[in-house]
């Protein structure tokens, strides 16, 4: 699978939105790869993990988030399922599951299940597209997840114990 070709298809112009997507996706992918290289005991498909991390936010262009140059019609919270639909249409159902399950620590009905889904979801939480040069700590990230409820924070902290 050529993740760059898919990105190029949906983000053809070299504009601010494409740059935000590429920088954020690369940050997430690199953190995912650090995790699996540190934890060789985890049975993870490293190539798939990188591809999925690079595509996890493919649906943001259809959402309304002007602060990160998204001028679509849908609420930003829907970017995961939108990305999942796009990736299924491209013939990549496994990548689609990662896209639709990475928001928060999983939305109702879209909880990350596989290790790859969990790792992308976890790694994504350390980086904000609106502050791309800042990397949150585990503690800061846990605090930022409080809006998703205590259960989401606990899930994130459990992932931190496994992945850090």
């Amino acid at each position: 699978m050529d993740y760059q070709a898919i990105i190029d298809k949906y983000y053809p112009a070299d504009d601010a939105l494409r740059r935000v997507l590429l920088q954020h996706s690369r940050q997430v992918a690199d953190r995912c790869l650090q995790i699996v290289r540190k934890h060789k005991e985890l049975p993870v498909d490293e190539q798939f993990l990188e591809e999925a991390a690079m595509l996890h936010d493919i649906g943001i262009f259809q959402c309304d988030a002007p602060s990160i140059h998204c001028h679509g019609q849908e609420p930003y919270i829907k970017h995961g399922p939108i990305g999942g639909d796009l990736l299924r249409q491209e013939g990549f159902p496994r990548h689609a599951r990662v896209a639709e399950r990475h928001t928060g620590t999983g939305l109702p009905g879209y909880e990350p299940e596989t290790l790859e889904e969990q790792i992308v979801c976890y790694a994504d939480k350390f980086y904000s597209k609106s502050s791309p040069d800042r990397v949150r700590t585990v503690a800061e990230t846990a605090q930022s997840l409080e809006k998703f409820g205590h259960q989401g924070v606990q899930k994130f902290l459990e992932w931190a114990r496994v992945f850090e």
Side-chain angles (χ1 to χ4, degrees), residues 106-129:
L107 300 174
Y110 292 102
E111 291 85 8
E113 296 172 348
T114 69
L115 266 174
E116 290 90 351
E117 291 166 7
Q118 292 171 16
I119 292 169
V120 171
C121 185
Y122 174 77
D124 181 54
K125 302 301 155 287
F126 291 91
Y127 308 98
S128 167
K129 286 179 276 305

mmCIF file of all heavy atoms in Angstrom, residues 106-129:
data_model
loop_
_atom_site.group_PDB
_atom_site.id
_atom_site.type_symbol
_atom_site.label_atom_id
_atom_site.label_comp_id
_atom_site.label_asym_id
_atom_site.label_seq_id
_atom_site.Cartn_x
_atom_site.Cartn_y
_atom_site.Cartn_z
ATOM 1 N N GLY A 106 -11.092 6.258 22.100
ATOM 2 C CA GLY A 106 -12.118 5.473 21.450
ATOM 3 C C GLY A 106 -13.477 6.066 21.756
ATOM 4 O O GLY A 106 -13.762 6.404 22.904
ATOM 5 N N LEU A 107 -14.279 6.246 20.739
ATOM 6 C CA LEU A 107 -15.638 6.735 20.920
ATOM 7 C C LEU A 107 -16.568 5.537 21.074
ATOM 8 O O LEU A 107 -16.235 4.431 20.638
ATOM 9 C CB LEU A 107 -16.044 7.573 19.712
ATOM 10 C CG LEU A 107 -15.181 8.807 19.446
ATOM 11 C CD1 LEU A 107 -15.592 9.463 18.132
ATOM 12 C CD2 LEU A 107 -15.283 9.786 20.592
ATOM 13 N N PRO A 108 -17.744 5.726 21.688
ATOM 14 C CA PRO A 108 -18.671 4.593 21.807
ATOM 15 C C PRO A 108 -18.918 3.927 20.459
ATOM 16 O O PRO A 108 -19.246 4.584 19.480
ATOM 17 C CB PRO A 108 -19.947 5.250 22.363
ATOM 18 C CG PRO A 108 -19.446 6.449 23.108
ATOM 19 C CD PRO A 108 -18.265 6.950 22.299
ATOM 20 N N GLY A 109 -18.699 2.624 20.417
ATOM 21 C CA GLY A 109 -18.845 1.863 19.178
ATOM 22 C C GLY A 109 -17.600 1.839 18.337
ATOM 23 O O GLY A 109 -17.538 1.111 17.343
ATOM 24 N N TYR A 110 -16.610 2.644 18.681
ATOM 25 C CA TYR A 110 -15.364 2.736 17.916
ATOM 26 C C TYR A 110 -14.141 2.643 18.836
ATOM 27 O O TYR A 110 -13.194 3.405 18.708
ATOM 28 C CB TYR A 110 -15.292 4.060 17.145
ATOM 29 C CG TYR A 110 -16.291 4.197 16.029
ATOM 30 C CD1 TYR A 110 -17.435 4.961 16.194
ATOM 31 C CD2 TYR A 110 -16.079 3.579 14.801
ATOM 32 C CE1 TYR A 110 -18.351 5.108 15.156
ATOM 33 C CE2 TYR A 110 -16.988 3.714 13.767
ATOM 34 C CZ TYR A 110 -18.121 4.475 13.955
ATOM 35 O OH TYR A 110 -19.021 4.610 12.934
ATOM 36 N N GLU A 111 -14.169 1.708 19.779
ATOM 37 C CA GLU A 111 -13.034 1.549 20.681
ATOM 38 C C GLU A 111 -11.904 0.810 19.969
ATOM 39 O O GLU A 111 -12.146 -0.146 19.236
ATOM 40 C CB GLU A 111 -13.437 0.776 21.943
ATOM 41 C CG GLU A 111 -14.380 1.526 22.862
ATOM 42 C CD GLU A 111 -15.843 1.386 22.486
ATOM 43 O OE1 GLU A 111 -16.164 0.568 21.591
ATOM 44 O OE2 GLU A 111 -16.664 2.110 23.062
ATOM 45 N N PRO A 112 -10.647 1.247 20.178
ATOM 46 C CA PRO A 112 -9.529 0.525 19.571
ATOM 47 C C PRO A 112 -9.420 -0.875 20.166
ATOM 48 O O PRO A 112 -9.461 -1.026 21.393
ATOM 49 C CB PRO A 112 -8.307 1.376 19.924
ATOM 50 C CG PRO A 112 -8.772 2.487 20.784
ATOM 51 C CD PRO A 112 -10.240 2.403 20.945
ATOM 52 N N GLU A 113 -9.298 -1.867 19.316
ATOM 53 C CA GLU A 113 -9.251 -3.252 19.774
ATOM 54 C C GLU A 113 -7.894 -3.893 19.532
ATOM 55 O O GLU A 113 -7.317 -4.460 20.445
ATOM 56 C CB GLU A 113 -10.361 -4.060 19.086
ATOM 57 C CG GLU A 113 -11.752 -3.572 19.478
ATOM 58 C CD GLU A 113 -12.860 -4.210 18.670
ATOM 59 O OE1 GLU A 113 -12.583 -4.874 17.634
ATOM 60 O OE2 GLU A 113 -14.027 -4.042 19.065
ATOM 61 N N THR A 114 -7.383 -3.829 18.318
ATOM 62 C CA THR A 114 -6.100 -4.476 18.028
ATOM 63 C C THR A 114 -4.959 -3.660 18.617
ATOM 64 O O THR A 114 -5.118 -2.468 18.924
ATOM 65 C CB THR A 114 -5.881 -4.622 16.508
ATOM 66 O OG1 THR A 114 -5.685 -3.310 15.952
ATOM 67 C CG2 THR A 114 -7.045 -5.329 15.828
ATOM 68 N N LEU A 115 -3.799 -4.282 18.744
ATOM 69 C CA LEU A 115 -2.628 -3.554 19.236
ATOM 70 C C LEU A 115 -2.308 -2.354 18.355
ATOM 71 O O LEU A 115 -1.999 -1.269 18.857
ATOM 72 C CB LEU A 115 -1.409 -4.478 19.288
ATOM 73 C CG LEU A 115 -1.133 -5.158 20.615
ATOM 74 C CD1 LEU A 115 0.011 -6.153 20.474
ATOM 75 C CD2 LEU A 115 -0.858 -4.170 21.722
ATOM 76 N N GLU A 116 -2.374 -2.525 17.047
ATOM 77 C CA GLU A 116 -2.081 -1.420 16.145
ATOM 78 C C GLU A 116 -3.066 -0.269 16.350
ATOM 79 O O GLU A 116 -2.664 0.896 16.379
ATOM 80 C CB GLU A 116 -2.095 -1.884 14.680
ATOM 81 C CG GLU A 116 -0.935 -2.794 14.315
ATOM 82 C CD GLU A 116 -1.203 -4.281 14.513
ATOM 83 O OE1 GLU A 116 -2.242 -4.627 15.108
ATOM 84 O OE2 GLU A 116 -0.368 -5.082 14.082
ATOM 85 N N GLU A 117 -4.347 -0.576 16.496
ATOM 86 C CA GLU A 117 -5.347 0.460 16.753
ATOM 87 C C GLU A 117 -5.039 1.190 18.064
ATOM 88 O O GLU A 117 -5.114 2.418 18.140
ATOM 89 C CB GLU A 117 -6.748 -0.153 16.814
ATOM 90 C CG GLU A 117 -7.243 -0.666 15.489
ATOM 91 C CD GLU A 117 -8.459 -1.571 15.583
ATOM 92 O OE1 GLU A 117 -9.043 -1.729 16.682
ATOM 93 O OE2 GLU A 117 -8.828 -2.137 14.537
ATOM 94 N N GLN A 118 -4.676 0.435 19.081
ATOM 95 C CA GLN A 118 -4.371 1.028 20.383
ATOM 96 C C GLN A 118 -3.111 1.892 20.333
ATOM 97 O O GLN A 118 -3.080 2.985 20.909
ATOM 98 C CB GLN A 118 -4.202 -0.067 21.436
ATOM 99 C CG GLN A 118 -5.483 -0.802 21.744
ATOM 100 C CD GLN A 118 -5.266 -2.014 22.621
ATOM 101 O OE1 GLN A 118 -4.235 -2.175 23.252
ATOM 102 N NE2 GLN A 118 -6.263 -2.884 22.657
ATOM 103 N N ILE A 119 -2.087 1.427 19.642
ATOM 104 C CA ILE A 119 -0.827 2.178 19.580
ATOM 105 C C ILE A 119 -1.019 3.496 18.838
ATOM 106 O O ILE A 119 -0.532 4.542 19.286
ATOM 107 C CB ILE A 119 0.298 1.325 18.952
ATOM 108 C CG1 ILE A 119 0.665 0.177 19.901
ATOM 109 C CG2 ILE A 119 1.524 2.181 18.649
ATOM 110 C CD1 ILE A 119 1.570 -0.881 19.285
ATOM 111 N N VAL A 120 -1.734 3.487 17.719
ATOM 112 C CA VAL A 120 -1.976 4.734 16.996
ATOM 113 C C VAL A 120 -2.816 5.678 17.855
ATOM 114 O O VAL A 120 -2.509 6.875 17.961
ATOM 115 C CB VAL A 120 -2.633 4.498 15.618
ATOM 116 C CG1 VAL A 120 -3.073 5.824 14.980
ATOM 117 C CG2 VAL A 120 -1.682 3.751 14.690
ATOM 118 N N CYS A 121 -3.844 5.161 18.469
ATOM 119 C CA CYS A 121 -4.691 5.980 19.329
ATOM 120 C C CYS A 121 -3.857 6.606 20.442
ATOM 121 O O CYS A 121 -3.943 7.809 20.713
ATOM 122 C CB CYS A 121 -5.817 5.121 19.898
ATOM 123 S SG CYS A 121 -7.035 6.043 20.858
ATOM 124 N N TYR A 122 -3.017 5.811 21.077
ATOM 125 C CA TYR A 122 -2.151 6.283 22.162
ATOM 126 C C TYR A 122 -1.165 7.343 21.653
ATOM 127 O O TYR A 122 -1.077 8.446 22.213
ATOM 128 C CB TYR A 122 -1.397 5.087 22.749
ATOM 129 C CG TYR A 122 -0.370 5.449 23.781
ATOM 130 C CD1 TYR A 122 -0.753 5.782 25.074
ATOM 131 C CD2 TYR A 122 0.987 5.451 23.466
ATOM 132 C CE1 TYR A 122 0.197 6.116 26.031
ATOM 133 C CE2 TYR A 122 1.934 5.781 24.421
ATOM 134 C CZ TYR A 122 1.541 6.110 25.700
ATOM 135 O OH TYR A 122 2.474 6.440 26.650
ATOM 136 N N ALA A 123 -0.438 7.045 20.598
ATOM 137 C CA ALA A 123 0.594 7.953 20.087
ATOM 138 C C ALA A 123 -0.009 9.285 19.642
ATOM 139 O O ALA A 123 0.599 10.351 19.835
ATOM 140 C CB ALA A 123 1.351 7.294 18.930
ATOM 141 N N ASP A 124 -1.193 9.246 19.085
ATOM 142 C CA ASP A 124 -1.858 10.447 18.584
ATOM 143 C C ASP A 124 -2.098 11.470 19.682
ATOM 144 O O ASP A 124 -2.089 12.673 19.435
ATOM 145 C CB ASP A 124 -3.185 10.036 17.946
ATOM 146 C CG ASP A 124 -3.954 11.200 17.355
ATOM 147 O OD1 ASP A 124 -3.380 11.942 16.539
ATOM 148 O OD2 ASP A 124 -5.137 11.366 17.715
ATOM 149 N N LYS A 125 -2.275 11.007 20.900
ATOM 150 C CA LYS A 125 -2.652 11.904 21.994
ATOM 151 C C LYS A 125 -1.536 12.855 22.413
ATOM 152 O O LYS A 125 -1.793 13.838 23.096
ATOM 153 C CB LYS A 125 -3.100 11.106 23.229
ATOM 154 C CG LYS A 125 -4.251 10.175 22.970
ATOM 155 C CD LYS A 125 -5.457 10.931 22.470
ATOM 156 C CE LYS A 125 -6.383 10.102 21.658
ATOM 157 N NZ LYS A 125 -5.989 9.722 20.342
ATOM 158 N N PHE A 126 -0.309 12.612 22.016
ATOM 159 C CA PHE A 126 0.814 13.440 22.445
ATOM 160 C C PHE A 126 1.012 14.674 21.573
ATOM 161 O O PHE A 126 1.805 15.546 21.910
ATOM 162 C CB PHE A 126 2.104 12.604 22.449
ATOM 163 C CG PHE A 126 2.107 11.569 23.533
ATOM 164 C CD1 PHE A 126 1.620 10.296 23.291
ATOM 165 C CD2 PHE A 126 2.576 11.874 24.799
ATOM 166 C CE1 PHE A 126 1.603 9.337 24.291
ATOM 167 C CE2 PHE A 126 2.565 10.931 25.807
ATOM 168 C CZ PHE A 126 2.078 9.656 25.559
ATOM 169 N N TYR A 127 0.288 14.746 20.448
ATOM 170 C CA TYR A 127 0.523 15.801 19.461
ATOM 171 C C TYR A 127 -0.781 16.494 19.094
ATOM 172 O O TYR A 127 -1.772 15.843 18.792
ATOM 173 C CB TYR A 127 1.139 15.214 18.191
ATOM 174 C CG TYR A 127 2.357 14.371 18.483
ATOM 175 C CD1 TYR A 127 2.255 12.988 18.568
ATOM 176 C CD2 TYR A 127 3.596 14.969 18.710
ATOM 177 C CE1 TYR A 127 3.364 12.210 18.860
ATOM 178 C CE2 TYR A 127 4.708 14.196 19.005
ATOM 179 C CZ TYR A 127 4.590 12.822 19.080
ATOM 180 O OH TYR A 127 5.680 12.048 19.389
ATOM 181 N N SER A 128 -0.738 17.804 19.090
ATOM 182 C CA SER A 128 -1.884 18.598 18.682
ATOM 183 C C SER A 128 -1.591 19.214 17.319
ATOM 184 O O SER A 128 -0.511 19.782 17.116
ATOM 185 C CB SER A 128 -2.125 19.708 19.708
ATOM 186 O OG SER A 128 -3.022 20.663 19.196
ATOM 187 N N LYS A 129 -2.545 19.131 16.428
ATOM 188 C CA LYS A 129 -2.342 19.732 15.111
ATOM 189 C C LYS A 129 -2.284 21.259 15.201
ATOM 190 O O LYS A 129 -1.670 21.906 14.377
ATOM 191 C CB LYS A 129 -3.433 19.266 14.151
ATOM 192 C CG LYS A 129 -3.242 17.827 13.694
ATOM 193 C CD LYS A 129 -4.321 17.354 12.763
ATOM 194 C CE LYS A 129 -5.565 16.857 13.432
ATOM 195 N NZ LYS A 129 -5.416 15.807 14.415
#
